[in-house]
Amino acid sequence: MTDLMRNIRIVEVYSDIAGYKKGASLGIEALKASSKELNTDYFEKLQLESIEDDSNNGGESQFLHAKYADVIEPIISKLAHKVKDIRNENKFLIVLAGDHSSCAGTMHGLKMAHPNSEIGVVYIDAHADIHSPYTSGSGNMHGMPLAMACAIDNLECQRNELSEKEKEYWEKLKFMVSDEPSIKPENVVFCAVRDYQEEEMALIKKYKIPLYSVAEITQKGISSTVEEIFKKLEYCDHIYVSFDVDSVDPLYVPGTGTPAVNGLSYEQAMQLNIELIKNEKVCCWEMAEINPLYNTSKDDSTRVFKILEKVTQSLLNNY
């Protein structure tokens, strides 16, 4: 292991309880299988740590609007403290997650490690993930991580009445670090978001969150898009990049739980992440929602693994 590799830590999150479809917890093992098929030693070269969903919860959630919040909260808490510990060692963090709810733990953990810093978020996803239990039509919490980290209820658009237990867990999920939001919504930039509800768009407009559509990214080009993103976040001390594979068009990456058409091309997703990781303020990169149960060929997970491999190589070249 080189000195540079010692500066990188991978955290694997084996959970898909918050997702609409189960199977994302299998994504990490699919990446490892692809690595072996390609005869790489990627996972042998880097230090790995794992977080498991040990709830053994196979039944229906007791909650309607914050499904499995009682199971999700300890997973997010464990991830947050793991992220804090790794950042306190000044390591670069790669998180490989199941469903995307876990990224709330990543953001909380970054705030734990950098309590006095401005933290920026580049959110590459087909979905805005900024619903709360008060506004979500499904109650699936993989659509709520940004609301957790930004401590947003969006009561102006409220459609649901929560039980007292749901409120209790939601407050825990929002204020895991302190009585303040871990992330300011003004510090978020969206890329490739195209499947969202009016309640989420109300927040995007309220906080003036930049949203780079696929068409805009295509028109501007990757380099100009990345340059604009970092200009927007230039006052941030640390930047986190969260990459949900459903940001890619299902033509190229069908193996995800909530695919949405008209997404990024495979090459766009590759280059966008490679360029973002070059910035010295980026301290954490996350990939989520790989669901091999929905692959259409054995090569689907391999394509996703190649993004992971090349992004890591870009990191090593620029760290």
Side-chain angles (χ1 to χ4, degrees):
M1 183 183 295
T2 67
D3 288 340
L4 280 176
M5 288 176 181
R6 289 191 181 93
N7 289 327
I8 300 174
R9 195 73 54 82
I10 293 180
V11 178
E12 306 167 330
V13 186
Y14 289 91
S15 176
D16 57 15
I17 193 69
Y20 168 60
K21 297 175 182 175
K22 301 303 177 272
S25 62
L26 305 173
I28 298 163
E29 292 307 317
L31 292 175
K32 290 180 177 179
S34 294
S35 177
K36 287 183 180 178
E37 287 174 11
L38 293 171
N39 294 315
T40 79
D41 56 355
Y42 179 90
F43 289 96
E44 289 71 39
K45 289 188 297 188
L46 297 167
Q47 298 179 71
L48 310 179
E49 300 194 34
S50 297
I51 292 173
E52 306 277 349
D53 174 4
D54 50 14
S55 65
N56 296 316
N57 193 313
E60 288 293 315
S61 174
Q62 62 177 306
F63 303 129
L64 180 61
H65 305 300
K67 291 179 180 175
Y68 303 104
D70 52 333
V71 179
I72 293 162
E73 189 270 335
I75 294 169
I76 287 177
S77 179
K78 283 189 283 188
L79 176 57
H81 285 89
K82 183 75 71 179
V83 168
K84 180 196 74 156
D85 292 344
I86 292 170
R87 284 302 299 155
N88 283 344
E89 295 176 23
N90 203 31
K91 307 288 187 186
F92 188 98
L93 195 65
I94 294 176
V95 181
L96 302 179
D99 74 69
H100 213 179
S101 69
S102 64
C103 78
T106 307
M107 289 183 277
H108 283 317
L110 290 172
K111 192 61 178 176
M112 288 177 181
H114 309 289
N116 300 314
S117 298
E118 290 283 350
I119 298 170
V121 175
V122 183
Y123 208 77
I124 310 169
D125 198 315
H127 311 92
D129 290 353
I130 202 165
H131 267 299
S132 81
Y134 294 99
T135 65
S136 173
S138 69
N140 295 321
M141 299 198 81
H142 70 159
M144 305 184 194
L146 275 173
M148 295 179 203
C150 296
I152 290 174
D153 294 333
N154 195 12
L155 296 180
E156 296 89 342
C157 298
Q158 181 176 356
R159 65 158 82 177
N160 305 319
E161 291 294 334
L162 273 56
S163 69
E164 289 306 312
K165 271 290 187 185
E166 282 178 310
K167 290 179 183 177
E168 179 185 330
Y169 276 107
W170 181 240
E171 292 302 304
K172 287 181 180 179
L173 286 162
K174 288 189 299 180
F175 300 112
M176 199 165 278
V177 183
S178 70
D179 59 0
E180 296 290 328
S182 291
I183 300 293
K184 296 176 182 177
E186 297 89 342
N187 291 0
V188 176
V189 175
F190 283 125
C191 290
V193 169
R194 56 198 182 275
D195 185 4
Y196 49 80
Q197 284 72 52
E198 61 185 47
E199 297 90 347
E200 294 177 298
M201 182 49 67
L203 292 173
I204 291 169
K205 290 178 178 177
K206 176 180 179 178
Y207 294 107
K208 298 180 172 60
I209 302 174
L211 195 165
Y212 288 89
S213 67
V214 173
E216 189 174 0
I217 293 169
T218 301
Q219 187 268 323
K220 290 179 183 295
I222 297 298
S223 295
S224 294
T225 301
V226 169
E227 185 178 341
E228 284 189 19
I229 289 170
F230 287 126
K231 186 171 179 57
K232 155 67 180 169
L233 299 176
E234 63 184 354
Y235 59 91
C236 292
D237 305 295
H238 305 284
I239 295 174
Y240 155 63
V241 178
S242 186
F243 171 56
D244 185 322
V245 299
D246 69 23
S247 61
V248 186
D249 194 282
L251 178 67
Y252 308 101
V253 180
T256 189
T258 49
V261 297
N262 300 318
L264 295 168
S265 72
Y266 177 72
E267 188 59 35
Q268 282 177 316
M270 176 81 79
Q271 290 304 316
L272 179 59
N273 282 288
I274 285 174
E275 290 303 313
L276 286 167
I277 207 81
K278 292 178 181 178
N279 189 286
E280 62 184 9
K281 289 186 177 181
V282 175
C283 65
C284 176
W285 183 80
E286 184 163 16
M287 183 159 65
E289 296 282 3
I290 305 151
N291 193 328
L293 297 183
Y294 296 92
N295 284 350
T296 56
S297 80
K298 68 181 183 64
D299 296 325
D300 292 341
S301 293
T302 299
R303 283 197 290 273
V304 178
F305 170 73
K306 286 179 179 177
I307 293 177
L308 170 63
E309 185 180 39
K310 290 189 178 182
V311 167
T312 306
Q313 190 57 56
S314 179
L315 171 63
L316 290 169
N317 290 342
N318 294 280
Y319 196 62

